[in-house]
Amino acid sequence: MSQNIDELFMNALEAYHPFIGSENWKYSDVLTAFIHSVSAAYSAYKLSLVLGNDDDFAEKAFFIGLFHDFYQKFGKKVEDLREVVKMFVDDKEVLDGINYNLAENPSLNPKFGKIVWFADMMQSSNMSFLDLFNLVKKVDPSLNAYFFTVSLPQIGTRSAIMKKVVEKVEEMTDNSLIVLTKDGVVVITNKDIELPIRVNWDELKIPRDGGEWAEIEKRDKELINDFFGNGKPSANFKGFFYNVEVDDIEHKEGGERCFLCGIESPKLYVPQAYGYALYSKASNEKWSPKVEPLSNLHYKFDKKYGICFWCAYDALYLSKHSFAASRGQTKYFLVGYFTRPTPKEVAENFSILLGINVDFKTVGNVRLDEIENDLYSWRDFVHDVIPNMAGDRMETILDYSSAMILRDFGSIYREGKRSYLLREQPIKGFVELIPSLSALLLISSFYPVKVTPHPDQVIERRILTFGKPFPIIDYDPAMEDKLPPFSLSLLFSSRLLEEKDRFDLMDFDFSLTTTLLSSVNPRIAEAIKGFKSKPKVYYNG
């Protein structure tokens, strides 16, 4: 994965100011205008290359896809709207393609029509990988489509394996459109791919640093040998892999259940390994509903009560990707969801954006007041400020199998050091961080997002949710599609309130959003309302 946001994505972000980019443009789902548009753009771009077109053709397809909904959704009566588009692209062929919305009228332009139609239709509601297979055949019957997934419950483990799978697919195909779905990865290519994709255990191994795991080695030498030595790991693969194989790990179902995930496993490891990896040192107590009541699993360990290979690897992988915590710290994850099929490049660029440090008064070392001012000169902010904001950031994990982005929430990474922010009261710390987190979501035009100690694949029909039951501003953006810019701006502006008042702000009827924003921050409320009448003012300052 690239460590820098690519130029095409930056151009797209520049074109979709947050006041329009964070609106919800798909009425049947939670999907921001920017995510939908940039996904259509990259799909058109990559499919153009798969079909054998040159870079110039592909770039034109990108911009037609990027703006395919712009006139219709922005508002037909907007003054000088064509001049706004011409700030980003001034090619007659592209402008004509945008004029006619080729996504809905592909026959009007035989050159680009089917490609842009596909790019838009790919984001249809409930689009399964089988539907995607059928859709691409309508563009060109000669194209091939493949599906890959790892459905293990351990996010770190499946992400590590699928990352290698995607890398191998890219090596096998000169150009391919790689799409993340909620079920796995779809690859569209003009090449034949030999199945299954094989990943070797040596490619997944994580090096041991010095005397690391010495405490665990005293209890379970087999674990150390399997993970860091020449041991022969074994694990239950049954039903978890499709078109993917991992070599040099013995495939066995086994008879003992892992007490963390419940998978029947051929070999179990000392359970302290999980706590040691993620919390620096295992706790003296660890209880599980899967074993006899009040069994102290750390005190009395035998091979009956242990963790499987997948869970042990998951803990190690997460710890090496900045997801470990010290004892006494409450671990929370920030999970971002792609609700529709999303090109790999789009997901990877968002993964960089969502890794930006979220501190109490800054985002990416930029003060919140400065970010608000930069909403009035958006183009300069995107190109001059955002790349620096993304320089020093938290590491993220892109879950290719479930179309999710995962990062540690409540910590920042700065100058090679990690600092924990939530302190002893995580909920209070979360509320204090809401203005900064909302600022990040606003400038990224990204949601839905969940902050939770237990990441899952359940997509909430909300902008932001804390834990499982607590939606922050409780409404479905698909039902109130014009409201998200106001809601995010209100949460962002909560920094202007007294700390005690922020809790009240999160629990009120969404119909009061615009009124409350006008009261808390009238400047930004008027800006959102006036944006569509004079958009160029907010782009250029």
Side-chain angles (χ1 to χ4, degrees):
M1 185 190 304
S2 171
Q3 294 301 307
N4 299 305
I5 303 173
D6 72 52
E7 186 175 352
L8 280 177
F9 188 89
M10 293 294 283
N11 289 337
L13 186 62
E14 180 187 354
Y16 275 79
H17 190 287
F19 294 163
I20 187 73
S22 62
E23 286 189 353
N24 197 97
W25 277 3
K26 288 293 180 181
Y27 306 119
S28 58
D29 224 334
V30 180
L31 182 71
T32 73
F34 177 57
I35 294 177
H36 171 61
S37 300
V38 73
S39 294
Y42 269 94
S43 298
Y45 178 84
K46 296 296 289 188
L47 185 59
S48 296
L49 297 176
V50 170
L51 291 168
N53 297 294
D54 60 21
D55 289 340
D56 182 65
F57 182 103
E59 190 168 318
K60 290 180 180 180
F62 177 92
F63 282 105
I64 296 174
L66 182 66
F67 290 110
H68 75 276
D69 273 338
F70 204 68
Y71 293 160
Q72 177 184 351
K73 301 288 188 180
F74 206 112
K76 295 179 180 179
K77 297 181 180 180
V78 177
E79 298 176 7
D80 300 326
L81 191 52
R82 189 178 177 94
E83 293 304 310
V84 173
V85 173
K86 288 174 72 174
M87 290 193 300
F88 308 100
V89 58
D90 195 9
D91 179 275
K92 184 179 185 302
E93 203 168 19
V94 174
L95 294 173
D96 288 345
I98 298 168
N99 267 355
Y100 296 110
N101 191 353
L102 297 184
E104 295 182 5
N105 305 284
S107 60
L108 294 177
N109 188 324
K111 186 174 179 180
F112 293 100
K114 273 194 174 182
I115 292 173
V116 178
W117 169 82
F118 169 86
D120 183 47
M121 288 296 295
M122 190 186 84
Q123 293 244 301
S124 298
S125 181
N126 299 317
M127 176 66 65
S128 70
F129 69 90
L130 291 175
D131 295 329
L132 205 48
F133 282 15
N134 294 330
L135 193 66
V136 75
K137 292 295 183 182
K138 293 180 180 179
V139 177
D140 188 334
S142 70
L143 293 179
N144 296 320
Y146 300 91
F147 178 70
F148 306 93
T149 196
V150 176
S151 58
L152 288 166
Q154 298 84 359
I155 290 178
T157 302
R158 68 176 184 247
S159 299
I161 297 170
M162 283 300 296
K163 183 179 180 181
K164 288 295 180 184
V165 169
V166 170
E167 289 173 0
K168 289 177 180 290
V169 166
E170 289 184 306
E171 292 171 1
M172 295 175 182
T173 58
D174 295 331
N175 281 304
S176 57
L177 170 56
I178 300 176
V179 182
L180 280 65
T181 76
K182 287 176 278 188
D183 301 310
V185 169
V186 172
V187 177
I188 297 166
T189 178
N190 55 14
K191 306 288 185 182
D192 293 321
I193 297 178
E194 185 178 346
L195 301 175
I197 299 294
R198 312 194 75 88
V199 177
N200 193 281
W201 166 230
D202 283 339
E203 298 176 282
L204 300 172
K205 276 187 176 181
I206 300 171
R208 185 183 183 187
D209 295 332
E212 191 179 40
W213 293 71
E215 182 179 331
I216 300 302
E217 189 168 15
K218 297 174 185 176
R219 293 174 175 267
D220 195 344
K221 291 185 178 179
E222 189 175 26
L223 181 151
I224 300 300
N225 194 35
D226 283 353
F227 278 79
F228 306 113
N230 298 316
K232 182 72 173 178
S234 58
N236 187 347
F237 284 72
K238 188 176 181 179
F240 296 117
F241 292 76
Y242 188 85
N243 282 337
V244 176
E245 290 281 353
V246 180
D247 294 329
D248 292 335
I249 298 177
E250 192 174 8
H251 296 217
K252 284 185 178 180
E253 291 184 42
E256 300 294 343
R257 289 188 180 275
C258 170
F259 87 86
L260 281 181
C261 69
I263 295 175
E264 290 187 352
S265 303
K267 183 188 294 188
L268 296 178
Y269 300 106
V270 60
Q272 291 97 321
Y274 196 87
Y276 182 84
L278 288 178
Y279 298 97
S280 302
K281 184 177 181 181
S283 169
N284 289 328
E285 297 179 352
K286 183 72 178 181
W287 315 108
S288 172
K290 299 186 179 72
V291 301
E292 63 188 65
L294 298 182
S295 295
N296 189 326
L297 297 170
H298 284 324
Y299 175 71
K300 184 179 179 181
F301 167 73
D302 57 37
K303 290 293 182 179
K304 184 177 180 181
Y305 299 146
I307 61 175
C308 67
F309 172 83
W310 303 126
C311 282
Y313 184 85
D314 187 62
L316 180 60
Y317 185 82
L318 292 177
S319 70
K320 293 295 185 181
H321 289 77
S322 298
F323 286 84
S326 299
R327 290 186 65 187
Q329 294 179 355
T330 305
K331 175 178 288 299
Y332 280 90
F333 298 86
L334 177 70
V335 189
Y337 299 88
F338 295 101
T339 61
R340 301 285 180 90
T342 305
K344 175 185 74 76
E345 292 77 12
V346 173
E348 289 179 344
N349 279 294
F350 272 116
S351 188
I352 295 172
L353 275 180
L354 292 189
I356 291 174
N357 282 326
V358 175
D359 208 337
F360 292 112
K361 295 183 179 180
T362 64
V363 176
N365 296 330
V366 179
R367 289 173 48 249
L368 297 185
D369 289 344
E370 292 178 31
I371 290 175
E372 180 175 328
N373 290 333
D374 286 330
L375 293 174
Y376 300 84
S377 54
W378 179 245
R379 298 183 71 186
D380 289 341
F381 176 67
V382 170
H383 281 281
D384 297 341
V385 181
I386 286 183
N388 293 327
M389 293 173 72
D392 223 7
R393 63 179 185 273
M394 292 296 296
E395 193 164 358
T396 55
I397 289 177
L398 180 56
D399 183 2
Y400 293 91
S401 293
S402 302
M404 304 190 315
I405 297 170
L406 193 75
R407 64 162 281 185
D408 187 333
F409 180 78
S411 297
I412 58 171
Y413 184 83
R414 188 174 292 146
E415 296 179 356
K417 294 182 180 180
R418 188 162 167 237
S419 303
Y420 183 72
L421 304 177
L422 295 181
R423 298 191 285 271
E424 296 178 358
Q425 300 182 48
I427 296 178
K428 182 175 182 293
F430 167 73
V431 172
E432 291 177 1
L433 285 169
I434 276 183
S436 300
L437 176 57
S438 301
L440 177 60
L441 301 182
L442 183 65
I443 64 177
S444 305
S445 290
F446 188 97
Y447 57 79
V449 163
K450 186 187 297 183
V451 175
T452 175
H454 306 293
D456 57 41
Q457 292 158 266
V458 178
I459 300 174
E460 306 289 345
R461 296 182 68 88
R462 301 291 184 270
I463 292 176
L464 175 60
T465 305
F466 181 77
K468 291 186 177 179
F470 186 16
I472 312 303
I473 302 186
D474 189 5
Y475 73 93
D476 182 344
M479 304 300 293
E480 303 289 341
D481 58 293
K482 304 299 181 187
L483 204 53
F486 290 93
S487 301
L488 284 169
S489 296
L490 177 59
L491 293 174
F492 171 38
S493 299
S494 67
R495 72 190 192 279
L496 304 174
L497 298 174
E498 294 292 331
E499 188 176 298
K500 59 183 176 61
D501 296 327
R502 293 184 188 177
F503 281 93
D504 297 333
L505 199 67
M506 295 185 297
D507 187 23
F508 65 89
D509 188 275
F510 66 85
S511 61
L512 297 174
T513 298
T514 55
T515 302
L516 278 171
L517 180 60
S518 295
S519 174
V520 174
N521 192 339
R523 181 192 183 211
I524 201 169
E526 289 305 312
I528 298 173
K529 293 174 184 176
F531 172 74
K532 290 184 180 180
S533 62
K534 294 183 179 180
K536 289 180 72 173
V537 172
Y538 298 89
Y539 281 107
N540 295 327

